Amino acid sequence: SNNHIYVGNNKGLLEYNGSAWKLYPSYNSTIIRSVKVIENKVYTGFYMDFGYWERDENGVFQFHSLVKELKLELIEDEHFWNIEARDEWILFQSLDRIYMYNALDSAFTVIDFQTTRAKIFNLNDGIYVQKQGEGLFAIRNGSLEIVSDLDVFKADLIIGLYEWEDL
């Protein structure tokens, strides 16, 4: 909403206001692998942690670790490659799990989901993920439901999923 650009890199969170960059160093000195802006918070995922940046009373971004706040036990060497939002839920995806955080009441759900590529497809009718060798799944009520086990969803790497109107 402020027309700024936010980018993660190996030093931290970068904010670009149209004329200058500002760096907010990663609090655990690791590469920020995913960034998602939702309202006034910038959610980030990186090695062994994820959470959000929010401005303090001086307008400076401060990082809030959801992993520490919620006392989550992560898998050893876990990286968070993707962040997606759906209604009040924020989804953080690693190659082993999808962590679902409810931004309204801080509820948390963890879905074990091993994959070779962290990609969530957020369409009008729901959230979808592909697991090679098994098919296309929807996330509904905090769990996975198979949508299609067609060979194309089992064998091929899906890079985009779009809604299609029958013309």
Side-chain angles (χ1 to χ4, degrees), residues 46-50 65-68 71-80 94 97 99 108 110:
F46 37 98
Y47 174 75
M48 297 299 289
D49 210 340
F50 58 84
S65 169
L66 290 172
V67 171
K68 288 184 179 178
K71 298 176 176 53
L72 298 174
E73 290 188 30
L74 303 180
I75 295 172
E76 186 177 337
D77 202 34
E78 198 163 13
H79 294 253
F80 293 90
S94 72
R97 294 178 173 166
Y99 296 78
F108 223 86
V110 178

Side-chain angles (χ1 to χ4, degrees), residues 22-49:
K22 180 162 176 106
L23 173 67
Y24 298 94
S26 172
Y27 91 101
N28 68 358
S29 301
T30 64
I31 299 169
I32 292 182
R33 301 219 179 265
S34 53
V35 177
K36 181 78 170 180
V37 177
I38 303 167
E39 296 177 8
N40 63 339
K41 294 179 181 175
V42 179
Y43 290 86
T44 55
F46 37 98
Y47 174 75
M48 297 299 289
D49 210 340

